[in-house]
Amino acid sequence: MARTRWFVAVIVVVAAIVVGGGMVLAAAAANADADVRHARNANTRNAKAAKDPVRSEEALLVQVLLDRAGFSVGEIDASAGGKTKKALMAFQTAKGLPASGMPDAATIEALG
């Protein structure tokens, strides 16, 4: 009877180690996946910032001025995204400026 209790206790301890170790491994894998997703998101943001030469302060100003001029940029979010560039090109075309989609000095002056 004592041997059976000892054997059962050993089995319980081994099972706890195996199950507990499995949980630790699963948690480590989940953390590694989260780290990879975070790194991908950071790389996407960095790539977007590298492609977009317009600073967020300038983008916000341009979005507000375009909205006041009647050229909707959609959501005003301080990001020179596609809708902002399209609205800027439409404004530039309407004012007889080169439609570059970039807020150059002439465009900023025309926006007021």
Side-chain angles (χ1 to χ4, degrees):
M1 186 76 161
R3 272 191 187 173
T4 306
R5 286 185 187 164
W6 181 82
F7 184 71
V8 170
V10 169
I11 295 295
V12 168
V13 169
V14 169
I17 291 171
V18 169
V19 171
M23 287 183 193
V24 169
L25 290 176
N31 285 341
D33 287 343
D35 289 343
V36 168
R37 283 192 304 274
H38 179 71
R40 284 185 189 149
N41 289 341
N43 288 340
T44 302
R45 284 189 303 270
N46 291 341
K48 183 180 177 188
K51 285 193 294 186
D52 189 12
V54 179
R55 295 186 325 263
S56 62
E57 299 87 17
E58 187 176 32
L60 179 62
L61 174 66
V62 168
Q63 286 179 330
V64 169
L65 293 175
L66 281 169
D67 188 61
R68 287 182 180 172
F71 292 85
S72 176
V73 296
E75 182 179 352
I76 296 177
D77 58 359
S79 172
K83 289 182 180 179
T84 300
K85 289 183 181 183
K86 286 180 183 178
L88 193 55
M89 289 173 66
F91 175 81
Q92 289 169 331
T93 301
K95 296 296 181 179
L97 299 168
S100 64
M102 296 299 297
D104 54 9
T107 303
I108 297 294
E109 184 178 326
L111 281 168

